[in-house]
Amino acid sequence: MAALRWLTPRRRSATARSVLAGEASAEAARKSAEAAERTQDAAPGTGATEPEFPVHGDERAAAFFDLDNTVMQGAAIFHFGRGLYKRKFFETRDLARFAWQQAWFRLAGFEDPEHMQDARDSALSIVKGHRVSELKSIGEEIYDEYMAERIWPGTRALAQAHLDAGQKVWLVTAAPVEIAQVIARRLGLTGALGTVAESIGGVYTGKLVGEPLHGPAKAEAVRALAAAEALDLSRCAAYSDSHNDIPMLSLVGHPYAINPDSKLRKHARELEWRLRDYRTGRKAAKVGIPAAAGVGAVAGGTAAAIALHRRRR
């Protein structure tokens, strides 16, 4: 923390929280991956690999994937909210906010900090007092109900290419780490780094450990995990749709812009990063390599809004 001394107290506090969130997420991800390795082998998968990358047998390389709109259409926290509503964790008026945030996310195509913060605050208040084991079990059900069909096949193929090359693949997301771990395991990935909610005695307190894993905190989490795993970041890859993840993308030697928002697309083109777009079936703007196979299906995320409309009538 000595490197933070030059900052003003306010900026030092925010930076320290980002570091704390990153380190907490990295530690949770490592523990989860170690537990998974003790209980089962990595799940097999399919997907096309690219001849020149990733490099087979490079154990000091790994891949880091953002989740929302990169691996999955829409935002995990909103789908999670829909699942909790179905199980009567909260009232109809709260569903209206989740439905609006999800609709906005789909139309805008990128994260709005205020919307994301509101969703996280809502989720924390909803799960307060519930057991961690309960939410993990419910997360399995919610994945099947709302998330499985929204995985982008193209991004899934990219992740599988790294697995086939013998490399570890991690999700890095602002979503709750318990939900991120469910998604990672279902996809056969190594593990997940996510926002860590505080729990005491296995019960959620309604608070976070550090900050949400967003923006600079993601970069700190990746850096901490790379140090713990003895990875060479210059040989690693990172994938995201959002300009908010430029700090994470800038850490690695192989950054990819996936379904990028306009700011990230501009930045990626200027720096000659690789681009892929699975949203419409058109060929992605790309640098140096052919587009990967796989086109995402059309999302069906208006269900919550429709259900709310019917209920109001």
Side-chain angles (χ1 to χ4, degrees):
M1 298 293 289
L4 303 178
R5 292 174 182 167
W6 63 273
L7 296 174
T8 64
R10 184 174 182 178
R11 291 189 61 192
R12 185 185 309 136
S13 176
T15 304
R17 289 196 301 272
S18 292
V19 172
L20 178 60
E23 291 177 348
S25 181
E27 180 64 19
R30 291 186 67 242
K31 288 181 179 179
S32 175
E34 289 170 359
E37 288 175 359
R38 289 194 297 268
T39 56
Q40 63 181 28
D41 294 329
T46 59
T49 61
E50 296 166 351
E52 73 280 9
F53 185 78
V55 178
H56 282 256
D58 187 355
E59 295 182 354
R60 296 199 63 197
F64 304 95
F65 284 78
D66 169 55
L67 176 59
D68 297 344
N69 213 36
T70 302
V71 170
M72 183 179 69
Q73 303 165 42
I77 189 69
F78 302 144
H79 297 314
F80 186 55
R82 292 170 61 194
L84 293 181
Y85 170 76
K86 179 179 178 180
R87 290 159 179 81
K88 303 187 184 305
F89 272 63
F90 56 91
E91 302 299 325
T92 303
R93 64 177 179 274
D94 298 305
L95 178 63
R97 182 166 64 254
F98 275 103
W100 157 244
Q101 290 165 335
Q102 174 67 0
W104 191 96
F105 184 89
R106 289 186 177 280
L107 291 172
F110 62 90
E111 300 169 354
D112 176 86
E114 292 185 4
H115 286 178
M116 299 299 288
Q117 183 64 51
D118 187 36
R120 283 188 290 269
D121 290 343
S122 298
L124 284 169
S125 66
I126 289 166
V127 303
K128 181 179 179 180
H130 289 272
R131 300 197 65 82
V132 175
S133 58
E134 177 189 10
L135 268 293
K136 286 183 177 180
S137 177
I138 290 174
E140 298 280 354
E141 300 171 2
I142 292 175
Y143 177 84
D144 290 327
E145 292 169 0
Y146 298 115
M147 300 178 183
E149 65 183 15
R150 293 180 169 84
I151 302 299
W152 292 109
T155 312
R156 178 70 185 89
L158 292 174
Q160 189 62 46
H162 286 279
L163 294 171
D164 291 343
Q167 297 175 4
K168 293 184 177 181
V169 178
W170 304 84
L171 289 181
V172 188
T173 174
V177 67
E178 292 83 3
I179 301 304
Q181 288 169 350
V182 168
I183 297 170
R185 185 173 54 78
R186 290 298 192 93
L187 295 178
L189 309 183
T190 306
L193 299 92
T195 296
V196 179
E198 182 184 71
S199 63
I200 297 177
V203 177
Y204 288 112
T205 66
K207 300 177 182 179
L208 293 182
V209 177
E211 292 186 332
L213 203 68
H214 185 265
K218 280 190 180 182
E220 292 294 341
V222 169
R223 198 192 308 274
L225 185 61
E229 296 275 317
L231 299 173
D232 181 348
L233 285 172
S234 69
R235 287 143 69 172
C236 293
Y239 302 77
S240 178
D241 71 296
S242 174
H243 69 279
N244 293 314
D245 287 340
I246 288 176
M248 178 181 74
L249 294 170
S250 299
L251 279 181
V252 301
H254 302 277
Y256 284 74
I258 305 293
N259 306 327
D261 61 36
S262 58
K263 290 183 180 179
L264 177 59
R265 182 181 292 275
K266 181 177 182 294
H267 187 85
R269 283 175 170 166
E270 289 174 352
L271 297 185
E272 297 188 342
W273 289 354
R274 292 159 172 164
L275 287 89
R276 303 288 174 81
D277 200 321
Y278 302 118
R279 290 172 293 194
T280 65
R282 68 181 184 275
K283 288 185 178 179
K286 55 190 180 295
V287 178
I289 55 176
V295 178
V298 177
T302 57
I306 293 173
L308 178 63
H309 174 71
R310 289 175 177 171
R311 189 156 183 149
R312 284 176 170 173
R313 287 176 60 185

